[in-house]
């Protein structure tokens, strides 16, 4: 919130403070992925197969959401360059900080933490396949 405030008002932060904020922002995703790793380290990988919601949520994130957004944007006749950017944004994997929300707001839900960790890892892995699919789709539009 504060960074938006400074940006809108064109206030320049001192270099030391700005560098510290940028450094903290740069470590957020790696820390989230480390947290996912620690959560699923003790989890049973066969558990993914027992939780179809993990697979469905992952497929919805990687395939359904971009398809719906693509349809809406085509109906609105949005410029193709903008569509490309937005579709690739929607086709990215789930947020690596998702398990932190379970730790913060529902720390007793072991099943929820494991499911969220599996969703992050599975969506990151499946992006290897889905992003080239979306790139091909976008070339033909």
């Amino acid at each position: 919130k504060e960074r938006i405030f400074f940006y809108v008002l064109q206030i320049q932060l001192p270099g030391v403070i700005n560098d510290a904020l940028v450094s903290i922002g740069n470590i957020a995703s790696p820390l989230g992925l480390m947290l996912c790793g620690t959560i699923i380290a003790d989890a049973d990988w066969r558990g993914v197969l027992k939780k179809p919601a993990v697979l469905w949520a992952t497929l919805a994130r990687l395939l359904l959401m971009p398809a719906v957004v693509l349809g809406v944007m085509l109906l609105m006749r949005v410029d193709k360059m903008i569509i490309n950017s937005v579709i690739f944004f929607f086709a990215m994997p789930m947020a690596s900080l998702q398990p932190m929300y379970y730790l913060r707001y529902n720390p007793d839900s072991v099943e929820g933490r494991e499911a969220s960790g599996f969703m992050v890892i599975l969506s990151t892995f499946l992006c290897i396949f889905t992003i080239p699919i979306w790139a091909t789709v976008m070339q033909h539009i």
Side-chain angles (χ1 to χ4, degrees), residues 37-115:
T38 59
I39 287 173
I40 64 173
D42 296 327
D44 181 15
W45 276 93
R46 292 172 292 187
V48 173
L49 301 175
K50 296 176 186 171
K51 296 179 182 123
V54 171
L55 180 60
W56 288 115
T58 302
L59 291 177
R61 171 66 180 157
L62 299 177
L63 298 173
L64 182 62
M65 286 176 55
V68 169
V69 170
L70 176 61
V72 169
M73 293 183 88
L74 287 174
L75 286 174
M76 295 174 56
R77 300 185 187 271
V78 176
D79 182 63
K80 299 216 187 280
M81 184 68 76
I82 295 171
I83 293 175
N84 268 339
S85 301
V86 172
I87 293 304
F88 283 113
F89 174 77
F90 273 90
M92 289 294 121
M94 293 182 181
S96 60
L97 297 177
Q98 178 183 352
M100 282 183 45
Y101 290 113
Y102 274 99
L103 288 174
R104 172 68 175 98
Y105 296 108
N106 196 2
D108 298 330
S109 175
V110 174
E111 184 175 327
R113 283 196 314 265
E114 285 181 2

